[in-house]
């Protein structure tokens, strides 16, 4: 079955990037000249996803404005002859059918996904975490969708993380299936030191079947008192197995300050307008360090 629906949870508090995220959702923080969430919506659209539900909360209305038409702006750009930018803005409003729902209490990623139930109905769907930008030739979520079509099980985007970092992530029990693909049989969220199952962790993307909602409803709050999506996926993995895709592409964690800086520097170096100038600046600046 082809995946056409996606959920982007973007209702977190973003406490790790305060004060930048006080009035501005962290999902709207720019990487050079585009907000993080636009990279994510573009990735989904490239993968053939046509309908996207963004889970927002209080103060995130500017996400809706960003993916809407801006008639005054488009008129001014037309008058000034700035056609290229006008067309770019117009395209942003047509990337996909985008819907919004508010998560009324910040009770965790699992709780955010549960609020998508009415939108998803009875189909498999993609989840793209709103603060995880992945840049690469082959859209990461397309790699996961292909694995779903091949194996028919829930899929998680996975990567190996450093041993000293695994406690901040989830840890997976995996066995190899084929190149880049694994069978996931168990997982644990934020393992205590020495309790990790492997250094593979779920990062930013998954494809889930609608039964995840019934599981989420029965899942008690986990790490940090939040309803953890990983805890529900563990039930799925233990029961049916899940497929892990060690995706190609570079992931930037826009939920932490270092990730935001890395994303901006690496994207700026390749940027068609400022790339060459920025490279020259950076090369000179490095010599002063
Ligand atoms: P994070 O745990 O990274 O987001 O969730 P957070 O809670 O904003 O982080 P900090 O610790 O306070 O800095 C991953 C994704 O899930 C969304 C976030 O917006 C982010 O895109 N999320 C998280 C929700 O939509 N709802 C929640 O209740 C929690």
């Amino acid at each position: 079955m082809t995946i056409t629906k996606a959920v982007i949870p973007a209702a977190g508090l973003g406490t790790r990037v305060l004060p930048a995220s006080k009035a501005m959702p962290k999902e709207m923080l720019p990487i050079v000249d585009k907000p993080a969430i636009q990279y994510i919506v573009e990735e989904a659209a490239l993968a053939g996803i046509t309908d996207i539900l963004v889970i927002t909360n209080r103060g995130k209305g500017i996400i809706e404005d960003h993916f809407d038409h801006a008639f005054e702006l488009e008129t001014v750009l037309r008058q000034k002859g700035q056609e290229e930018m006008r067309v770019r803005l117009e395209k942003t409003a047509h990337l996909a059918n985008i819907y919004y729902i508010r998560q009324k209490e910040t009770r965790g990623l699992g709780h955010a996904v549960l609020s998508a139930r009415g939108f998803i109905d009875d189909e498999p769907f993609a989840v793209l975490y709103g603060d995880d930008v992945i840049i690469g030739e082959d859209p990461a979520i397309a790699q996961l969708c292909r694995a779903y079509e091949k194996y028919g099980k829930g899929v998680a985007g996975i990567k190996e993380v450093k041993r000293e970092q695994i406690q901040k992530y989830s840890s997976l029990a995996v066995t190899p299936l084929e190149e880049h693909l694994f069978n996931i049989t168990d997982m644990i969220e934020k393992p205590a030191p020495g309790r990790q199952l492997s250094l593979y962790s779920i990062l930013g993307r998954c494809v889930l079947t609608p039964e995840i909602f019934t599981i989420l409803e029965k899942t008690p709050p986990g790490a940090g008192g939040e309803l953890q999506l990983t805890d529900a996926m563990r039930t799925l993995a233990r029961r049916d197995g899940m497929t892990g895709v060690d995706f190609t592409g570079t992931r930037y964690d826009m939920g932490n300050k270092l990730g935001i800086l890395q994303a901006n520097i690496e994207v700026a170096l390749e940027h068609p307008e400022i790339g060459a100038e920025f490279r020259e600046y950076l090369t000179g600046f490095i010599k002063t360090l």
Side-chain angles (χ1 to χ4, degrees):
M1 191 173 183
T2 317
I3 313 279
T4 59
K5 285 186 181 173
V7 175
I8 301 181
L13 297 177
T15 54
R16 285 166 298 152
V17 285
L18 281 170
S21 54
K22 185 181 174 195
M24 159 90 103
K26 63 177 167 177
E27 294 79 8
M28 284 297 290
L29 292 172
I31 303 179
V32 185
D33 55 3
K34 276 196 296 193
I37 194 165
Q38 187 175 337
Y39 289 85
I40 297 172
V41 169
E42 286 173 351
E43 177 194 328
L46 274 173
I49 284 162
T50 52
D51 294 88
I52 298 175
L53 178 71
V54 183
I55 319 265
T56 65
N57 63 0
R58 196 171 47 80
K60 300 217 177 182
I62 62 166
I63 299 180
E64 296 185 36
D65 292 342
H66 185 75
F67 291 104
D68 195 0
H69 275 290
F71 288 107
E72 313 93 81
L73 209 50
E74 286 167 23
T75 308
V76 170
L77 290 174
R78 188 178 278 120
Q79 283 163 356
K80 287 188 167 178
Q82 295 183 14
E83 266 308 285
E84 206 183 309
M85 183 52 76
R86 188 190 66 76
V87 171
R88 262 186 83 181
L89 292 196
E90 206 179 292
K91 275 193 183 155
T92 310
H94 293 280
L95 285 166
N97 302 316
I98 308 184
Y99 308 83
Y100 302 88
I101 191 169
R102 285 189 180 212
Q103 182 190 13
K104 294 189 185 67
E105 286 171 89
T106 314
R107 285 169 52 194
L109 182 56
H111 182 256
V113 169
L114 190 52
S115 59
R117 190 176 205 166
F119 170 77
I120 294 302
D121 201 19
D122 200 23
E123 301 172 44
F125 62 101
V127 181
L128 299 94
Y129 302 7
D131 57 356
D132 267 322
V133 171
I134 301 174
I135 296 180
E137 284 285 301
D138 186 7
I141 198 65
Q143 300 172 45
L144 271 69
C145 290
R146 291 199 297 270
Y148 175 78
E149 281 165 29
K150 185 163 182 189
Y151 290 98
K153 291 181 182 178
V155 187
I158 67 171
K159 283 259 172 224
E160 272 189 303
V161 302
K162 291 196 183 114
R163 185 168 293 276
E164 58 275 19
Q165 299 229 307
I166 191 72
Q167 286 159 46
K168 288 198 264 169
Y169 294 91
S170 56
S171 169
L172 312 174
V174 292
T175 49
L177 266 178
E178 55 177 290
E179 213 192 346
H180 295 306
L181 297 189
F182 295 81
N183 190 26
I184 306 173
T185 51
D186 201 359
M187 61 184 77
I188 173 173
E189 179 67 23
K190 299 191 174 52
R195 301 300 297 267
Q196 69 266 18
L197 303 168
S198 75
L199 294 182
Y200 274 106
S201 185
I202 299 178
L203 292 182
R205 303 285 180 269
C206 45
V207 170
L208 297 169
T209 48
E211 57 192 328
I212 197 77
F213 297 122
T214 326
I215 299 173
L216 275 168
E217 266 179 348
K218 294 183 192 142
T219 305
E226 295 193 334
L227 179 48
Q228 297 287 349
L229 184 60
T230 314
D231 291 343
M233 284 199 272
R234 180 177 54 218
T235 305
L236 209 58
R238 282 184 177 170
R239 202 182 60 196
D240 308 330
M242 283 181 73
T243 307
V245 177
D246 188 351
F247 54 84
T248 58
T250 310
R251 167 188 173 261
Y252 300 104
D253 180 0
M254 294 297 287
N256 89 55
K257 298 179 184 90
L258 191 62
I260 296 170
L261 290 172
Q262 286 164 337
N264 273 284
I265 288 173
E266 292 184 25
V267 172
L269 284 168
E270 301 301 325
H271 195 278
E273 195 183 316
I274 59 152
E277 207 178 328
F278 182 64
R279 187 171 295 269
E280 197 184 321
Y281 157 75
L282 199 60
T283 311
F285 183 71
I286 282 165
K287 291 185 189 132
T288 70
L289 298 179

